[in-house]
Amino acid sequence: LQTIWEHGVKDVLRIPLAELPSYSCVLIVPANVCKVDVKMMVNVVLSRMRFRSCAVMQDAMCACFQANAGTACVVDIGEGKTSVSVVEDGMCIPCSALHLAYGGEDVSNLFLWLLRRGDNGSGSREPTDRSRQSILGMLDEDEPTHVSVFRAFKDRMVYVLPPQQELSVKTDEIQLARPGEPTTLHKLRVLGAACIPPLGFFSPKLFGAVDWSSAERKPWADAEEVVDDEFIHEMLQNRPGGGSNAQDERLVLREDNMFPEEGSAPGPLHQIIKEAINRVVALHEHSKVDPGKREDSSTAQEVMQRLYANIILSGGSSQIKGLAESLETRLYKIKPASVSQVTVMLNPKSRPSDRLAWCGACIVAAAECHKEVFVKREEWSTRGVHALKERVCFPW
């Protein structure tokens, strides 16, 4: 990890490693990150790379800062995973974070499979084109250059077909090269194969066999932590009425039930978003202002209204043409009757969604009011993880 980061700093950003003690670092992590991994990464940044200070922030929170939305539902569609997190008043709600182990890579794999099969999306097959088959035969899925070229080709070609619009043939170019051979330029004509792959977000069975466990948060145990996953599990087992199915509020706060049950596939993306919002609304409905008095139900309704009106798409694969509009249409059909507006935002504030979290982190890092979230190298060397726990903007 240190080698990769040093390469990015020195060779990509052109910052000499000797100057890092004069720089501060913002570490962006997902909501399901293992706390031991955070501790290890901060140690690499401060102790080994010798940054002056470091701040740890969650990606959904940073995306909201860039979109200028204090309360929103953030849908991060990356290359290997999709996550849904609710941010309320600038804080990620742990019980609302849901993680799905499919993303842009699954769209690419399905797109390539359809191209090789010659399926035009109507049950019949396109006429077999020897030149196209030879081009697809040149694609080496283990060659990084070929993977990058095909991913860019997929980004240009794949789209979600709007309702009542007929299929149209799309033509684009792709450049391929084998080791020791010159680069060749090829043209490909695509019909139905271009609009089918993104539908996997609304019907995950299209993606075929997916390893759902790859997105799960790892159980963590740390000798320096008094309360870790092992401690909570042992406490629940030993208390009266405890057992493997025992529930506890602390488990909810520690991201319990964030993943599909073992052996089950997740539902469509719009249903997952609705589930995340419902969890936050239920949290408001069950919270008590004072003993014997529940919170006013209008507050929960207001939160629901704000969340449906502020759904933010982030991540590189969120740029698929027509995906935001299709997601908004599907959410509108399943929204509660009390919700009047559904808005899915793509590229808010004219910032590309694939860099939304990074732009938001820059805003936080530059704000004077957020200087206290940074842990200095001297603090880390003397107090360790205890200094980090006091500064992070999410439940540890």
XYZ file of all heavy atoms in Angstrom, residues 270-329:
461
model
N -33.173 0.446 -6.995
C -34.179 1.379 -6.483
C -34.842 0.863 -5.210
O -35.205 1.645 -4.331
C -35.229 1.695 -7.557
C -35.861 0.495 -8.184
N -35.175 -0.373 -9.004
C -37.128 0.007 -8.108
C -35.991 -1.331 -9.421
N -37.170 -1.129 -8.878
N -34.961 -0.466 -5.092
C -35.519 -1.034 -3.867
C -34.535 -0.901 -2.704
O -34.936 -0.686 -1.552
C -35.874 -2.505 -4.095
C -37.002 -2.743 -5.079
C -38.365 -2.428 -4.480
O -38.472 -2.051 -3.324
N -39.413 -2.577 -5.287
N -33.239 -1.031 -2.993
C -32.219 -0.880 -1.953
C -32.202 0.558 -1.440
O -32.057 0.808 -0.236
C -30.834 -1.274 -2.507
C -30.825 -2.752 -2.927
C -29.743 -1.004 -1.484
C -31.054 -3.719 -1.791
N -32.344 1.527 -2.341
C -32.400 2.930 -1.927
C -33.612 3.177 -1.029
O -33.510 3.846 0.015
C -32.446 3.851 -3.163
C -31.146 3.725 -3.961
C -32.696 5.300 -2.761
C -31.169 4.459 -5.287
N -34.749 2.623 -1.400
C -35.952 2.767 -0.579
C -35.744 2.144 0.793
O -36.161 2.702 1.820
C -37.147 2.127 -1.283
C -38.460 2.260 -0.523
C -39.607 1.603 -1.275
C -40.910 1.731 -0.482
N -42.047 1.092 -1.202
N -35.075 0.990 0.841
C -34.808 0.320 2.114
C -33.914 1.171 3.004
O -34.152 1.289 4.214
C -34.157 -1.037 1.844
C -33.575 -1.733 3.068
C -34.623 -2.155 4.070
O -35.816 -2.207 3.700
O -34.255 -2.433 5.229
N -32.874 1.783 2.424
C -31.973 2.636 3.205
C -32.714 3.841 3.791
O -32.526 4.193 4.962
C -30.808 3.098 2.333
N -33.580 4.461 2.977
C -34.346 5.615 3.471
C -35.324 5.180 4.552
O -35.499 5.861 5.569
C -35.070 6.295 2.296
C -34.061 6.901 1.319
C -36.036 7.363 2.798
C -34.679 7.518 0.083
N -35.960 4.030 4.369
C -36.916 3.530 5.364
C -36.239 3.281 6.709
O -36.850 3.474 7.770
C -37.585 2.255 4.867
C -38.597 2.516 3.763
O -39.019 3.655 3.560
N -38.984 1.477 3.049
N -34.985 2.833 6.688
C -34.280 2.578 7.940
C -34.070 3.869 8.721
O -34.210 3.898 9.946
C -32.932 1.910 7.663
C -33.038 0.483 7.168
C -31.671 -0.171 7.099
N -31.763 -1.542 6.620
C -30.765 -2.410 6.673
N -29.601 -2.035 7.176
N -30.914 -3.645 6.227
N -33.732 4.927 8.005
C -33.525 6.211 8.684
C -34.847 6.758 9.213
O -34.913 7.285 10.327
C -32.862 7.221 7.723
C -32.726 8.586 8.384
C -31.495 6.721 7.294
N -35.902 6.635 8.421
C -37.219 7.097 8.867
C -37.661 6.312 10.105
O -38.177 6.893 11.077
C -38.247 6.958 7.738
C -39.654 7.272 8.245
C -37.894 7.886 6.572
N -37.433 4.993 10.107
C -37.791 4.177 11.272
C -36.985 4.579 12.499
O -37.487 4.561 13.631
C -37.570 2.700 10.957
N -35.737 4.957 12.270
C -34.889 5.413 13.376
C -35.461 6.675 14.007
O -35.474 6.825 15.236
C -33.474 5.674 12.855
C -32.328 5.680 13.870
C -32.197 4.332 14.546
C -31.025 6.058 13.181
N -35.986 7.583 13.178
C -36.599 8.811 13.704
C -37.908 8.503 14.422
O -38.202 9.098 15.454
C -36.847 9.795 12.564
C -35.649 10.601 12.190
N -35.332 11.791 12.802
C -34.668 10.371 11.273
C -34.211 12.271 12.273
N -33.799 11.436 11.343
N -38.668 7.583 13.886
C -39.956 7.267 14.487
C -39.802 6.601 15.844
O -40.656 6.746 16.719
C -40.768 6.380 13.547
C -41.248 7.098 12.288
C -41.959 6.169 11.328
O -41.829 4.938 11.503
O -42.638 6.666 10.403
N -38.712 5.866 16.039
C -38.516 5.152 17.294
C -37.649 5.909 18.292
O -37.502 5.481 19.424
C -37.888 3.783 17.035
C -38.824 2.811 16.392
N -39.029 2.773 15.024
C -39.631 1.854 16.908
C -39.906 1.826 14.736
N -40.282 1.254 15.862
N -37.059 7.018 17.862
C -36.246 7.796 18.791
C -37.152 8.582 19.724
O -38.235 9.038 19.341
C -35.313 8.739 18.031
O -36.063 9.668 17.283
N -36.685 8.781 20.958
C -37.495 9.464 21.966
C -36.862 10.806 22.317
O -35.674 10.899 22.569
C -37.601 8.607 23.222
C -38.336 7.295 22.998
C -38.432 6.516 24.281
C -39.184 5.191 24.059
N -39.284 4.403 25.292
N -37.695 11.827 22.319
C -37.235 13.141 22.734
C -37.012 13.168 24.239
O -36.028 13.686 24.743
C -38.250 14.226 22.325
C -37.788 15.602 22.793
C -38.454 14.209 20.821
N -37.939 12.607 25.003
C -37.767 12.432 26.444
C -38.534 11.181 26.841
O -39.342 10.661 26.074
C -38.263 13.660 27.215
C -39.686 14.047 26.815
O -40.571 13.171 26.864
O -39.906 15.219 26.449
N -38.277 10.633 28.038
C -38.950 9.387 28.434
C -40.458 9.480 28.298
O -41.090 10.425 28.762
C -38.524 9.228 29.897
C -37.230 9.968 29.992
C -37.361 11.123 29.051
N -41.021 8.481 27.659
C -42.465 8.401 27.506
C -43.030 9.205 26.364
O -44.225 9.204 26.140
N -42.175 9.894 25.609
C -42.671 10.729 24.510
C -41.861 10.453 23.263
O -40.641 10.558 23.266
C -42.568 12.205 24.868
C -43.097 13.135 23.772
C -42.967 14.587 24.182
C -43.447 15.518 23.076
N -43.305 16.928 23.454
N -42.521 10.097 22.199
C -41.834 9.830 20.942
C -41.665 11.123 20.151
O -42.400 12.087 20.321
C -42.601 8.817 20.095
C -42.575 7.412 20.667
C -43.160 6.425 19.676
N -43.132 5.078 20.199
C -42.102 4.262 20.101
N -41.007 4.685 19.524
N -42.148 3.040 20.591
N -40.707 11.065 19.235
C -40.471 12.222 18.378
C -41.685 12.468 17.496
O -42.382 11.542 17.088
C -39.238 11.946 17.510
C -38.857 13.088 16.611
C -37.616 12.759 15.797
O -37.015 11.714 16.051
O -37.277 13.558 14.908
N -41.954 13.703 17.209
C -43.087 14.080 16.361
C -42.947 13.397 15.011
O -41.908 13.461 14.369
C -43.106 15.593 16.185
C -44.360 16.046 15.445
O -45.175 15.176 15.100
O -44.498 17.259 15.233
N -44.024 12.736 14.561
C -43.967 11.989 13.307
C -43.713 12.892 12.111
O -43.218 12.446 11.082
C -45.273 11.207 13.106
O -46.369 12.103 13.058
N -44.058 14.190 12.241
C -43.836 15.102 11.124
C -42.345 15.235 10.830
O -41.949 15.464 9.691
C -44.444 16.472 11.434
O -43.811 17.059 12.562
N -41.496 15.104 11.868
C -40.058 15.182 11.648
C -39.589 14.042 10.765
O -38.792 14.240 9.847
C -39.316 15.152 12.995
O -39.790 16.205 13.822
C -37.822 15.298 12.788
N -40.067 12.834 11.024
C -39.710 11.690 10.199
C -40.190 11.885 8.764
O -39.488 11.532 7.808
C -40.306 10.411 10.797
N -41.378 12.452 8.604
C -41.887 12.700 7.259
C -41.052 13.750 6.530
O -40.801 13.631 5.325
C -43.356 13.161 7.345
C -44.323 12.077 7.766
C -44.375 10.932 6.776
O -44.303 11.127 5.557
N -44.488 9.711 7.292
N -40.602 14.762 7.250
C -39.763 15.785 6.633
C -38.427 15.197 6.181
O -37.912 15.538 5.114
C -39.526 16.928 7.625
C -40.772 17.761 7.892
C -40.562 18.751 9.016
O -39.434 18.800 9.561
O -41.516 19.476 9.362
N -37.867 14.318 7.014
C -36.610 13.658 6.641
C -36.813 12.812 5.391
O -35.986 12.814 4.467
C -36.095 12.797 7.812
C -34.923 11.928 7.363
C -35.669 13.675 8.974
N -37.932 12.087 5.328
C -38.219 11.273 4.152
C -38.344 12.142 2.904
O -37.804 11.803 1.838
C -39.510 10.475 4.370
C -39.850 9.541 3.212
S -41.504 8.816 3.365
C -41.318 7.875 4.879
N -39.040 13.258 3.026
C -39.196 14.163 1.889
C -37.837 14.665 1.400
O -37.569 14.698 0.194
C -40.078 15.359 2.292
C -41.531 15.011 2.583
C -42.380 14.962 1.319
O -41.881 15.090 0.214
N -43.681 14.766 1.498
N -36.967 15.058 2.338
C -35.649 15.588 1.953
C -34.790 14.519 1.300
O -34.058 14.800 0.346
C -34.935 16.160 3.182
C -35.529 17.453 3.696
C -34.524 18.235 4.521
N -34.029 17.466 5.644
C -34.571 17.486 6.863
N -35.647 18.220 7.092
N -34.050 16.781 7.837
N -34.869 13.298 1.806
C -34.023 12.234 1.255
C -34.448 11.860 -0.163
O -33.595 11.672 -1.039
C -34.064 11.009 2.168
C -33.369 11.161 3.523
C -33.570 9.921 4.378
C -31.885 11.443 3.336
N -35.743 11.743 -0.404
C -36.208 11.428 -1.759
C -35.928 12.572 -2.731
O -35.765 12.336 -3.934
C -37.705 11.106 -1.751
C -38.018 9.660 -1.472
C -38.430 9.250 -0.207
C -37.877 8.686 -2.452
C -38.715 7.914 0.070
C -38.157 7.354 -2.198
C -38.574 6.974 -0.926
O -38.837 5.650 -0.672
N -35.864 13.794 -2.216
C -35.602 14.945 -3.081
C -34.106 15.192 -3.279
O -33.736 16.066 -4.068
C -36.250 16.191 -2.502
N -33.249 14.445 -2.554
C -31.798 14.633 -2.663
C -31.104 13.278 -2.739
O -30.500 12.814 -1.764
C -31.274 15.432 -1.462
C -31.737 16.860 -1.451
O -31.164 17.724 -2.093
N -32.818 17.118 -0.715
N -31.211 12.634 -3.874
C -30.515 11.373 -4.121
C -29.350 11.689 -5.058
O -29.541 12.128 -6.190
C -31.456 10.326 -4.732
C -32.600 10.013 -3.753
C -30.694 9.055 -5.089
C -33.663 9.115 -4.322
N -28.139 11.483 -4.571
C -26.936 11.890 -5.286
C -26.240 10.659 -5.855
O -25.960 9.709 -5.125
C -25.975 12.650 -4.355
C -26.671 13.881 -3.771
C -24.710 13.052 -5.095
C -25.858 14.593 -2.705
N -25.954 10.680 -7.145
C -25.186 9.615 -7.778
C -23.718 10.010 -7.807
O -23.369 11.121 -8.211
C -25.676 9.363 -9.202
C -27.039 8.696 -9.383
C -27.277 8.376 -10.855
C -27.164 7.432 -8.548
N -22.860 9.100 -7.385
C -21.419 9.323 -7.450
C -20.753 8.045 -7.946
O -21.383 6.993 -8.053
C -20.866 9.724 -6.073
O -20.954 8.648 -5.158
N -19.464 8.145 -8.258
C -18.746 6.985 -8.790
C -18.687 6.999 -10.303
O -19.569 7.560 -10.976
N -17.644 6.380 -10.858
C -17.439 6.412 -12.303
C -18.547 5.768 -13.102
O -18.923 6.254 -14.175
N -19.125 4.677 -12.603
C -20.159 3.968 -13.363
C -21.522 4.643 -13.282
O -22.460 4.200 -13.950
C -20.270 2.519 -12.869
O -19.055 1.825 -13.101
N -21.656 5.696 -12.466
C -22.920 6.427 -12.428
C -23.112 7.283 -13.670
O -24.207 7.809 -13.898
C -22.963 7.329 -11.191
O -21.963 8.340 -11.266
N -22.068 7.396 -14.510
C -22.131 8.234 -15.704
C -22.793 7.532 -16.894
O -22.862 8.107 -17.980
C -20.713 8.669 -16.110
C -19.975 9.457 -15.051
C -20.416 10.905 -14.987
O -21.277 11.326 -15.741
N -19.831 11.670 -14.091
N -23.253 6.309 -16.710
C -23.927 5.600 -17.805
C -25.123 6.423 -18.281
O -25.964 6.837 -17.470
C -24.379 4.200 -17.341
C -23.152 3.325 -17.033
C -25.249 3.536 -18.398
C -23.497 1.968 -16.464
N -25.194 6.661 -19.551
C -26.239 7.526 -20.117
C -27.633 6.957 -19.847
O -27.902 5.791 -20.121
C -26.008 7.698 -21.623
C -24.759 8.492 -21.957
C -24.573 8.649 -23.452
C -24.099 7.349 -24.102
N -22.723 6.993 -23.691
N -28.498 7.790 -19.290
C -29.872 7.396 -19.024
C -30.083 6.689 -17.702
O -31.236 6.444 -17.317
N -29.004 6.363 -16.964
C -29.158 5.619 -15.709
C -29.853 6.470 -14.654
O -30.744 5.981 -13.946
C -27.784 5.157 -15.216
C -27.782 4.361 -13.900
C -28.589 3.076 -14.053
C -26.353 4.041 -13.463
N -29.466 7.731 -14.526
C -30.075 8.600 -13.513
C -31.563 8.783 -13.778
O -32.382 8.708 -12.850
C -29.358 9.947 -13.491
N -31.931 9.021 -15.025
C -33.341 9.223 -15.363
C -34.157 7.956 -15.114
O -35.284 8.011 -14.606
C -33.483 9.657 -16.823
C -32.911 11.028 -17.142
C -31.402 11.011 -17.318
O -30.798 9.919 -17.230
O -30.834 12.094 -17.545
N -33.596 6.803 -15.479
C -34.305 5.544 -15.273
C -34.470 5.240 -13.786
O -35.525 4.763 -13.348
C -33.548 4.406 -15.962
O -34.220 3.181 -15.802
N -33.430 5.525 -12.995
C -33.520 5.312 -11.550
C -34.569 6.220 -10.931
O -35.348 5.794 -10.067
C -32.149 5.555 -10.918
C -32.042 5.387 -9.401
C -32.417 3.964 -8.991
C -30.634 5.716 -8.922
N -34.618 7.455 -11.379
C -35.608 8.400 -10.849
C -37.026 7.939 -11.181
O -37.929 8.027 -10.337
C -35.341 9.787 -11.424
C -36.238 10.876 -10.883
C -35.849 12.251 -11.391
O -34.711 12.687 -11.113
O -36.679 12.881 -12.081
N -37.231 7.443 -12.391
C -38.560 6.963 -12.783
C -38.998 5.782 -11.937
O -40.150 5.713 -11.475
C -38.552 6.559 -14.263
O -38.182 7.692 -15.068
C -39.916 6.048 -14.697
